Amino acid sequence: MKQNRLERVIRGMEAMGLEQIIVSAPASVFYLTGAWVRPGERMLALYIHKSGEARLFANRLFALSGNVDAPLSEFDDTEDPIALLNQFVRPGKLGIDKSWPSQFTLRLMEARADVRCVLGSSPVDDARMLKDAEEIALMRESSLKNDASILEAIASIREGMRESDVAAAYNRAAAQNGASGPSFPTLICFGANCAEPHHTTDDTLIKRGDSVILDVGLAWQKYASDMTRTVFYGEPTDEQKRVFDLVCKANAAGIAAVRPGVPLCEIDRAARKVIEDAGYGDYFIHRTGHGIGLEGHEPPDVSATDTRLAQLGMVFSIEPGVYLPGRFGVREEDLVCVTEDGVEVLNRLSHELRVIPIE
C-alpha cells in the first residue's frame, strides 16, 4: 500500500464522518495499491477502515497474488464475492465510490440490513486531486512527450488528408515517444468542425483556409497529458488571426491567475473576461479547465461554479476557446500545476501562430 496516500484518504474519511469505505475505480485502486485492474463484470473492491485496515478483493483471474503490496482476498467465478467482502464490512454507514456497479451495491444492501450505504467518493477523489512529487514528475514527462508528439502530427498535415489521418499520425508519434496509448480519443477538427468543442474526429478532408484544432493527450506510466493547439492550413483571415490572438491572451490570463488560495472560479473568470471584453463571450461555451491525473478528467473543476481554492499539487487545464458555428473555432490548452509560489506550466510548446503552407 502507498501508506502516505492511505493516510490522506483516512483523514478525508474522518472529515466526512465515515468509518469505512469501498474503493472500486481502477485508477483509485492503482493510486493506493499500485495494481491496475480492469475488472469488467467481475467485482473489484478495496475496503478501507479508519483504523488503517485496508484489504483488496479481486478475482484470481487478475493474478494479483504476490504482485500487490496489500492484504488480498481472492475469489473465483464460482464464489460469491459479496459474501467474502461482508466478512470485513462493519455495521453502520459505508461509503461507496461512484464507480462501483449497482449490481454489487444492491447485493450488499440486500445482504446487510445493518449497513447504510452512502456516496463515499470524496476521500479518494480529494486525495488524488493533490498530486505528490512523484506524480507531478510523471505528469511533467507525459506533457513533454505530448509536446513532441503534437509537433509531429502538425508536421504531417498536407493536402488530401482527413481528420482521421492526422489523428493516426499523432497516435503513431505518441507510441514512438513511449506512450502506452492516448489518454482520451484523439480529437482533430478541420474548418467548421472546429466550432464543435467535442467534435468526433471523422473523414472530413482538409481545405484551404481551415483552422485545425488538435486536442491530444497520451498516457505515460499511467499518467495522462492533455493539450490543444490551433493551426491554420494556408494563410488565415484577419478574423481568424484576431480570434487566435484573443484565445492565446485568455489562456495567458488564466495561467497568470493561478496561485495557491485563489478560488478556481476566479481563474475561470480571468480567462473568460478577456474573451467577453472582446465581444466573443457568447462563443466561449465551456468551462476553462478540468483536473487531470490518472484519468483525463478528474477534480477539480475550473469553472464559474467551483469556489474551491487552488491548492499546492493541483494539476488542471487552462483551455479557453471561441467557437463560431458553421465557420471555425480556436482553442489553446495547457496543463498547469499549482506550486508554492504560483504555477508551473507543464507544456513547453509555444502559442505562436502556426501556418501550414499549401504547396
Side-chain angles (χ1 to χ4, degrees), residues 28-356:
S28 293
V29 171
F30 172 82
Y31 174 78
L32 289 164
T33 70
W36 194 290
V37 177
R38 299 190 184 279
E41 75 276 14
R42 297 178 170 88
M43 190 188 86
L44 176 69
L46 176 62
Y47 174 82
I48 299 175
H49 188 266
K50 70 173 186 179
S51 64
E53 175 189 352
R55 178 169 290 272
L56 183 62
F57 297 82
N59 196 290
R60 288 189 180 89
L61 289 173
F62 304 139
L64 295 180
S65 183
N67 295 312
V68 60
D69 183 23
L72 178 66
S73 291
E74 293 184 297
F75 53 88
D76 60 37
D77 286 344
T78 66
E79 297 175 288
D80 180 2
I82 294 296
L84 182 61
L85 175 62
N86 271 333
Q87 296 175 23
F88 294 86
V89 172
R90 276 76 154 177
K93 192 160 60 173
L94 172 66
I96 295 177
D97 76 11
K98 58 186 179 287
S99 299
W100 212 36
S102 60
Q103 63 165 320
F104 302 124
T105 304
L106 293 171
R107 286 171 56 196
L108 188 149
M109 292 170 66
E110 289 171 356
R112 294 291 298 271
D114 61 341
V115 170
R116 181 165 69 91
C117 296
V118 300
L119 184 61
S121 294
S122 293
V124 181
D125 286 352
D126 290 349
R128 283 176 52 188
M129 186 169 61
L130 304 180
K131 274 62 180 179
D132 58 32
E134 176 187 353
E135 293 179 289
I136 293 169
L138 290 171
M139 295 195 70
R140 187 181 294 119
E141 186 68 17
S142 183
S143 289
L144 292 176
K145 289 178 179 294
N146 202 21
D147 287 353
S149 300
I150 197 174
L151 278 175
E152 293 182 50
I154 291 169
S156 78
I157 298 172
R158 58 183 54 86
E159 184 180 358
M161 291 191 79
R162 302 165 296 179
E163 291 175 348
S164 55
D165 295 326
V166 180
Y170 169 81
N171 292 338
R172 284 194 301 271
Q176 290 166 358
N177 286 320
S180 58
S183 53
F184 57 90
T186 301
L187 193 161
I188 307 296
C189 312
F190 293 164
N193 292 342
C194 294
E196 305 170 21
H198 273 193
H199 168 72
T200 299
T201 300
D202 60 25
D203 289 335
T204 298
L205 287 167
I206 199 164
K207 64 182 186 298
R208 180 187 294 269
D210 276 351
S211 60
V212 178
I213 288 179
L214 303 95
D215 187 347
V216 296
L218 55 81
W220 166 251
Q221 300 294 312
K222 298 291 192 296
Y223 280 85
S225 51
D226 186 2
M227 71 181 302
T228 306
R229 291 293 184 270
T230 304
V231 301
F232 296 91
Y233 186 61
E235 190 64 26
T237 66
D238 288 345
E239 185 178 24
Q240 286 175 325
K241 291 178 182 178
R242 184 167 63 251
V243 171
F244 176 81
D245 183 62
L246 175 65
V247 171
C248 290
K249 288 178 178 176
N251 171 276
I255 292 171
V258 179
R259 62 184 183 278
V262 174
L264 295 169
C265 57
E266 290 189 11
I267 298 171
D268 176 271
R269 185 78 224 129
R272 196 169 302 277
K273 187 176 186 301
V274 173
I275 292 174
E276 289 178 347
D277 287 351
Y280 286 90
D282 289 343
Y283 304 103
F284 180 9
I285 55 176
H286 55 72
R287 62 190 175 183
T288 291
H290 59 83
I292 186 171
L294 288 167
E295 296 174 284
H297 282 203
E298 41 182 73
D301 181 25
V302 185
S303 72
T305 59
D306 196 330
T307 58
R308 285 178 291 189
L309 304 182
Q311 298 179 61
L312 179 67
M314 282 184 175
V315 178
F316 48 80
S317 64
I318 300 292
E319 49 180 303
V322 169
Y323 310 94
L324 302 178
R327 300 174 60 203
F328 69 94
V330 174
R331 182 166 64 255
E332 293 284 305
E333 173 187 16
D334 292 299
L335 294 187
V336 300
C337 176
V338 181
T339 63
E340 290 183 355
D341 56 358
V343 61
E344 175 188 356
V345 181
L346 300 186
N347 299 101
R348 294 290 180 265
L349 189 62
S350 74
H351 293 277
E352 66 188 86
L353 179 67
R354 289 182 170 84
V355 178
I356 299 165

